[in-house]
Amino acid sequence: MTSYDAQTALDAIHHRQAQTRDAYARHASTSYGLIAALAVFATGSSVDLTGTWGLIARLAGGALIATGLTVQYRRTRVHRKRSAAGTLFAVAVAAVALTAFIAASMLAWAIRLPVPSVPAAAVAALVTLVATYTARPIVEKIISRRDGQSDGPGLR
């Protein structure tokens, strides 16, 4: 093998790794955002509901969350080992949605809306949807930073 062949092979490996990182970032940041937003809305809007309707709405939200996570994991073409930065980012996005829900609930309660959790859930769902679609650059940074620190591509 000549040095040219070795460099060509190494360039091909780097190109495939970049394609893999791009595919992972695209899937992780844009897939199933609508399902996540609907799950947030169903779960958040059920706070003020009482009795059977509240239970049905909470179960629907839980089922949407479980289904969305399962489908997203199953349909991904690239599986990666979990990283602390990726997990912290996911928790931060959930915290932002929860904070938006709490703030919108307090505002809706302050202006005396009859069912404050429904508009608050709508605001939290919109925040979730926007966060899902705007998170790609952050996900790409997390992936590239992790791959730069590891010995291999980090794929399984």
Side-chain angles (χ1 to χ4, degrees):
M1 178 180 269
T2 66
S3 62
Y4 176 76
D5 293 338
Q7 186 61 45
T8 303
L10 188 59
D11 289 343
I13 289 170
H14 288 300
H15 178 69
R16 289 291 183 198
Q17 286 177 339
Q19 284 179 328
T20 300
R21 283 191 297 269
D22 186 52
Y24 182 79
R26 189 177 333 108
H27 181 78
S29 63
T30 59
S31 297
Y32 312 107
L34 187 59
I35 293 173
L38 287 173
V40 167
F41 180 75
T43 305
S45 64
S46 67
V47 171
D48 289 335
L49 296 175
T50 58
T52 307
W53 289 110
L55 178 63
I56 290 171
R58 281 191 221 68
L59 289 175
L64 277 170
I65 291 170
T67 303
L69 289 173
T70 302
V71 169
Q72 184 175 12
Y73 182 77
R74 292 266 192 199
R75 289 197 176 166
T76 185
R77 294 180 179 178
V78 179
H79 293 274
R80 299 177 55 84
K81 294 178 185 176
R82 303 276 184 242
S83 70
T87 303
L88 286 174
F89 178 68
V91 169
V93 170
V96 166
L98 184 61
T99 303
F101 175 74
I102 291 170
S105 291
M106 290 170 55
L107 180 65
W109 182 78
I111 60 174
R112 307 265 190 235
L113 290 177
V115 184
S117 69
V118 175
V123 168
L126 286 174
V127 166
T128 302
L129 195 59
V130 168
T132 302
Y133 286 102
T134 59
R136 185 173 179 175
I138 298 168
V139 171
E140 286 175 348
K141 284 186 180 187
I142 291 170
I143 293 168
S144 65
R145 192 185 82 164
R146 183 163 189 267
D147 283 345
Q149 293 175 350
S150 64
D151 294 330
L155 305 175
R156 57 180 172 103

